[in-house]
Amino acid sequence: SCVIKNFKLKDSNSSFFGYISGNTLVEGITFEDVTVESCTAENSAIVATGLLNGATLTKITVKNYAKITSNAKNVGVICGVNRGSITNCAVICDELKELTVKLSESLTSAGSIVGTNDGYVYNCTVDRVKLCVDVSANRSGSINFGGIVGTNSSNVSNGKVLSFYCDTTASGVVYAGGVAGYLTVSSSVNKSYSMAN
């Protein structure tokens, strides 16, 4: 039940925990007023770079992050890429906060909870996130972005997006959704809703 406040991730640093693997459980932490600046890693987020081999994040809350600017391939506020479980997590802001993705890859996935989901995302809430796409580096790229996940190849259930705003001038292919930007053939979204603008 700890609170982690006022830390900054800069340059190539990609998250607080990095990659989490195996049967690892991270539970009950609140992050406040975090800044992510110009991350150049493959995957980036505030909490975990990626969940591998069934690792779990649960009861994690990110409140009022200062700002996030990243040109990683998979970008999330909670997690970059998920191959485990993300349950009962939330990104809650008192006012609209920007998540800025610099489009420098041929494909980028960005979401308020997780960039790319190859695992399980359950009962997560998003409120007052503004996703911005910076296309100054590469105007021919493609991006998938959503209120909960950018690209979903597995399962999202009981997701609640109370306020989410998308802003982009990208001239490439853009798939945007209130819950998920892009769903692959094998994916599913159940009992979820979005009040996205």
Side-chain angles (χ1 to χ4, degrees):
S1 300
C2 64
V3 177
I4 299 171
K5 299 179 69 171
N6 300 316
F7 78 92
K8 179 182 288 187
L9 296 165
K10 193 171 182 180
D11 301 325
S12 62
N13 294 319
S14 53
S15 68
F16 186 83
F17 285 106
Y19 287 98
I20 303 172
S21 185
N23 293 320
T24 305
L25 170 67
V26 178
E27 180 178 9
I29 301 175
T30 298
F31 294 82
E32 293 185 10
D33 300 315
V34 179
T35 299
V36 179
E37 283 190 353
S38 303
C39 178
T40 58
E42 178 81 2
N43 307 302
S44 74
I46 288 176
V47 183
T49 305
L51 300 183
L52 309 174
N53 303 319
T56 298
L57 294 177
T58 187
K59 299 178 182 176
I60 305 293
T61 300
V62 173
K63 294 180 63 176
N64 296 319
Y65 61 85
K67 71 174 180 178
I68 300 174
T69 303
S70 176
N71 62 350
K73 184 176 179 179
N74 297 297
V75 184
V77 179
I78 298 283
C79 182
V81 60
N82 175 39
R83 294 187 178 95
S85 296
I86 301 174
T87 65
N88 302 303
C89 293
V91 177
I92 305 293
C93 302
D94 294 334
E95 60 186 30
L96 207 60
K97 295 290 187 177
E98 291 189 358
L99 165 58
T100 301
V101 179
K102 294 183 177 181
L103 185 55
S104 59
E105 297 281 349
S106 59
L107 174 65
T108 298
S109 295
S112 300
I113 298 296
V114 60
T116 292
N117 178 47
D118 295 320
Y120 183 58
V121 178
Y122 173 77
N123 198 37
C124 292
T125 302
V126 173
D127 195 8
R128 296 184 181 90
V129 174
K130 180 180 181 179
L131 199 150
C132 306
V133 181
D134 180 352
V135 296
S136 59
N138 182 357
R139 289 186 174 272
S140 63
S142 302
I143 186 166
N144 305 328
F145 59 93
I148 293 178
V149 300
T151 300
N152 183 45
S153 298
S154 190
N155 185 268
V156 175
S157 184
N158 288 60
K160 296 175 285 293
V161 181
L162 305 179
S163 176
F164 176 68
Y165 183 87
C166 305
D167 183 18
T168 176
T169 57
S171 59
V173 178
V174 177
Y175 295 104
V179 173
Y182 186 86
L183 304 176
T184 67
V185 174
S186 59
S187 67
S188 65
V189 176
N190 303 295
K191 298 180 181 178
S192 299
Y193 68 89
S194 173
M195 299 170 68
N197 184 354

